[in-house]
Amino acid sequence: MPVTLIKNASWVVAFDGRKHTYMQGADVAFEDDKIIHVGPGFTGKAATTIDGSGMLVMPGLVNVHSHPSSEPMAKGWNDELGSPKLYQSALYEFMPLFRADAGGAPNPADIPASATVAYSELLLSGVTTLVDMSVAWDGWLDTFAASGLRGVLSPMYRSARWFTKNGHVVEYEWAKDEGMGAMEAAMAVLDAAAKHPSGRMSGMVSPSQIDTCTPGLIKASFAEAKKRKLPFQIHAAQSVVEFHEITRRHGMTPVEWLGSLGVLSDRSLIGHGIFLDHHTSVHWPRRDDLQDLVDTGTTVAHCPTVFQRRGITLQSFGEYVRRGVNMAIGTDTYPHNMIEEMRHVAIMSRVVAEDVYDVRSVDVFNAATLGGAKALGRKDIGRLAVGAKADIVLVDASHPSMKPLRDPVRSMIYSAGERPIRTVFVDGKKVVDGGKVLTMDLAAASEKLEAAQRRAEAGVKKLDWAKRDHMKISPLMFPPAKG
């Protein structure tokens, strides 16, 4: 197959078999979907040569938790909403009101438009592998394949839906079959993903939330993940409401209860994992939930931005890392921007710990690459090494936002963000070039999403328990001018 050579890159984030290292003046070469050389002096023949001078070459980022089919819809609506009587969470009262598939008169194109916007944002921020946790929708696999991303499709299902009738009590409506029928349908989606001709899709078993799933559904799901040799992810320890619901039902913390069900393991991810027994908001006797995660090899999928908007965060990311928890990062909200998430991880961890040394930038970058790869059971992504997948990101280190340049990855995280990302390869195929997505029409999808949001606004009053319209719940920043 033809070889592509990135020649004489100013900076390369190379993997030495144990850790990331910086190389300068190095070459990166790949053939088809595999990296064949990382280091100085590539001597083989190349069909395509890219001048690496002035470039930072780094591995594609691994995003382990996202909701592309719904989250982009909420821009401008859910930026600063939370339920004061539900511990500031927006999960129960507000998020169900404003989705492409809820309220108003949904259009079949609304969900694909939402997903396309998210996929585009992810590629533009250097993500090459994505765990897409969506309720299965028509056309999902083909739309994902067209994006060019490497995908872990994770169709969500559950035993109950949550709702509130008054803004201070969360109730649950349970399915008679515990959600087993929905689980069976999700497994059919995973079968189709594995067989998809793109060859870039695999699956993850994802019963949706710990408080909306029966013990039987959770255990059956984990058994299915083991049988299929797939990762398993469940939202857990994501709100004070959920923490108290689980302790009320079982007398155990969410982590403790999952452990009692036998579903914590090195194939397991906990979505969020914030409210463990040491968190100051739960006031629970300490028994060391963190150690349970360490002992079982369970990964925490940390998505800082969506919680930080509501004054909520891990206590702290640095402490989880020091204790030995495998940490990975996701984008649970808009914008789907992994660089911003990385920045928020680092800064908020230091704020909570009141210690600038609580977390190092290398810990954050590791979580976005090696930690995510480990959670997915893969040794061929999240690194630049011979034999790894050709998932590669080229960053313009000469971009003004990167200057003055001393430490390029640190400059990208804290200063430049996604702005200098120029080119992205996934599986050896170019999907971003010149800072533009090649595989999708982001502008057209954004226009469709705009129309979808207007339709969703019309349905808010009907869905809200208090019959408030969207402007009452989430007014514009400034009042309309008079006259």
Side-chain angles (χ1 to χ4, degrees):
M1 299 294 292
V3 171
T4 298
L5 170 65
I6 305 167
K7 187 173 180 59
N8 195 32
S10 294
W11 298 83
V12 175
V13 179
F15 186 67
D16 69 1
R18 189 174 62 88
K19 64 184 183 303
H20 293 306
T21 63
Y22 272 141
M23 288 184 178
Q24 293 185 260
D27 300 337
V28 177
F30 58 92
E31 184 177 13
D32 195 16
D33 64 339
K34 294 280 177 55
I35 295 173
I36 61 172
H37 177 89
V38 180
F42 178 71
T43 58
K45 293 183 179 180
T48 303
T49 299
I50 299 170
D51 182 6
S53 60
M55 287 287 174
L56 162 69
V57 183
M58 69 178 199
L61 304 178
V62 180
N63 181 327
V64 299
H65 188 110
S66 72
H67 304 295
S69 67
S70 58
E71 283 302 314
M73 272 285 295
K75 290 180 184 178
W77 152 262
N78 201 23
D79 308 313
E80 45 192 2
L81 280 181
S83 299
K85 296 179 181 179
L86 292 172
Y87 304 94
Q88 307 301 329
S89 176
L91 285 169
Y92 312 100
E93 185 176 13
F94 299 125
M95 289 181 67
L97 306 182
F98 216 81
R99 301 167 56 97
D101 56 354
N107 185 297
D110 291 352
I111 291 177
S114 178
T116 297
V117 168
Y119 298 155
S120 298
E121 290 178 343
L122 288 160
L123 285 171
L124 291 170
S125 68
V127 171
T128 54
T129 296
L130 176 68
V131 175
D132 183 343
M133 304 178 74
S134 295
V135 176
W137 48 276
D138 290 343
W140 184 14
L141 274 62
D142 289 341
T143 302
F144 194 104
S147 75
L149 282 157
R150 186 179 306 285
V152 181
L153 270 65
S154 187
M156 296 187 298
Y157 53 92
R158 56 188 183 175
S159 309
R161 73 174 185 94
W162 59 39
F163 61 95
T164 180
K165 294 178 181 177
N166 54 24
H168 66 268
V169 175
V170 175
E171 300 181 53
Y172 299 83
E173 182 180 58
W174 297 89
K176 291 181 179 179
D177 72 345
E178 300 186 40
M180 293 296 181
M183 174 182 161
E184 185 177 347
M187 296 308 104
V189 174
L190 298 188
D191 290 337
K195 296 174 183 175
H196 196 276
S198 71
R200 285 180 282 102
M201 281 188 270
S202 59
M204 175 181 283
V205 179
S206 294
S208 191
Q209 301 101 6
I210 186 175
D211 50 331
T212 62
C213 295
T214 63
L217 186 69
I218 293 172
K219 289 195 284 189
S221 298
F222 186 72
E224 196 69 30
K226 287 181 68 176
K227 183 180 79 173
R228 293 167 174 264
K229 299 180 180 179
L230 293 176
F232 166 92
Q233 183 166 183
I234 188 167
H235 292 76
Q238 69 170 331
S239 75
V240 177
V241 169
E242 173 225 283
F243 184 94
H244 289 320
E245 181 67 22
I246 297 302
T247 57
R248 182 188 66 78
R249 292 180 194 173
H250 308 292
M252 292 182 274
T253 70
V255 167
E256 184 181 7
W257 186 58
L258 289 174
S260 76
L261 297 178
V263 301
L264 299 180
S265 76
D266 59 2
R267 75 172 65 251
S268 304
L269 295 85
I270 289 180
H272 309 312
I274 297 169
F275 295 103
L276 275 54
D277 57 8
H278 70 275
H279 199 284
T280 55
S281 293
V282 302
H283 304 288
W284 191 255
R286 287 292 300 274
R287 51 170 299 281
D288 208 353
D289 283 344
L290 272 174
Q291 194 60 46
D292 286 356
L293 300 179
V294 174
D295 290 344
T296 56
T298 300
T299 294
V300 169
H302 182 38
C303 308
T305 302
V306 69
F307 293 97
Q308 288 175 15
R309 285 178 181 150
R310 293 163 181 89
I312 298 167
T313 192
L314 284 175
Q315 295 180 342
S316 66
F317 185 90
E319 180 64 15
Y320 283 51
V321 170
R322 284 189 294 279
R323 288 292 298 274
V325 178
N326 185 53
M327 300 300 290
I329 296 174
T331 54
D332 193 70
T333 187
Y334 56 88
H336 284 73
N337 187 320
M338 275 287 278
I339 310 298
E340 285 194 5
E341 297 286 351
M342 291 163 70
R343 183 187 306 143
H344 293 164
V345 170
I347 292 175
M348 188 54 65
S349 189
R350 294 167 189 159
V351 170
V352 171
E354 298 183 340
D355 181 2
V356 69
Y357 296 103
D358 179 67
V359 66
R360 301 285 83 192
S361 303
V362 67
D363 300 322
V364 178
F365 190 80
N366 284 345
T369 53
L370 302 176
K374 183 178 180 180
L376 300 179
R378 300 196 60 157
K379 296 181 178 180
D380 60 347
I381 59 175
R383 68 206 70 198
L384 297 184
V386 173
K389 289 290 187 180
D391 295 355
I392 301 169
V393 177
L394 278 68
V395 181
D396 180 4
S398 67
H399 192 279
S401 63
M402 294 284 283
K403 297 290 188 179
L405 187 67
R406 181 174 179 271
D407 186 319
V409 173
R410 193 180 288 161
S411 290
M412 180 184 68
I413 293 172
Y414 295 110
S415 179
E418 81 288 357
R419 286 173 289 172
I421 292 177
R422 309 317 307 156
T423 304
V424 178
F425 292 92
V426 180
D427 228 27
K429 297 179 178 63
K430 188 183 292 185
V431 292
V432 171
D433 196 31
K436 304 290 184 184
V437 179
L438 303 179
T439 55
M440 295 169 287
D441 189 337
L442 174 56
S446 297
E447 289 296 323
K448 290 178 182 177
L449 193 61
E450 174 97 6
Q453 194 178 71
R454 299 290 79 75
R455 282 190 288 272
E457 287 172 347
V460 167
K461 189 171 184 177
K462 180 176 67 176
L463 296 172
D464 179 49
W465 68 269
K467 303 308 175 187
R468 297 163 291 187
D469 66 21
H470 69 99
M471 291 296 280
K472 179 71 173 178
I473 294 173
S474 182
L476 302 183
M477 287 176 58
F478 307 115
K482 293 182 179 179

